[in-house]
Amino acid sequence: MMRKAFLMSVKPSKIDEYKRSHNPIWPELYDVLKKHGINNYSIFHSEETNHLFGYLEIENEEEFEKLSQNKICHKWWLYMKEFLIPDSNDRIKAKEEEIREIFHID
């Protein structure tokens, strides 16, 4: 199992809608995430900075990378751009900064 983490920023006026859109996420998106080996997925929100911290565990990198080809993911990412701060408007996904793990304890 591999651990991944990322940061994103939510538009301050959109945090309530963002939360609602994840409770629950679309059933077809849930199925796609599970199919691609994603487990133990959480997103946390800092009210002070409006940053989102995401954490997930994957079974293997190759299967995880295939998500970028999935139509359901593309549809979700386009929907999320309404709530998240983008890199640019021509990208399908909002700005996402990967965070590298430097320490872990079980």
Side-chain angles (χ1 to χ4, degrees), residues 86-102:
D87 245 349
S88 66
N89 286 331
D90 60 336
R91 289 197 50 197
I92 192 167
K93 281 180 81 172
K95 183 178 181 179
E96 189 176 287
E97 177 187 345
E98 186 174 346
I99 302 170
R100 302 266 183 224
E101 180 178 54
I102 58 168

Side-chain angles (χ1 to χ4, degrees), residues 13-76:
S13 63
K14 297 290 187 174
I15 186 60
D16 290 335
E17 291 174 81
Y18 179 84
K19 288 177 185 178
R20 278 192 299 275
S21 70
H22 283 76
N23 291 294
I25 62 170
W26 301 339
E28 61 271 28
L29 179 62
Y30 177 88
D31 292 342
V32 165
L33 295 175
K34 288 304 203 176
K35 177 184 172 197
H36 289 275
I38 295 176
N39 296 293
N40 200 22
Y41 191 172
S42 298
I43 299 174
F44 301 86
H45 174 238
S46 167
E47 291 181 10
E48 187 174 319
T49 64
N50 270 327
H51 289 146
L52 300 170
F53 168 76
Y55 172 85
L56 55 109
E57 295 173 353
I58 63 172
E59 293 174 11
N60 73 58
E61 192 73 37
E62 294 78 28
E63 195 60 39
F64 177 73
E65 292 297 325
K66 291 179 184 177
L67 283 172
S68 66
Q69 311 293 317
N70 187 282
K71 289 187 277 187
I72 298 296
C73 287
H74 285 214
K75 185 177 173 184
W76 178 259

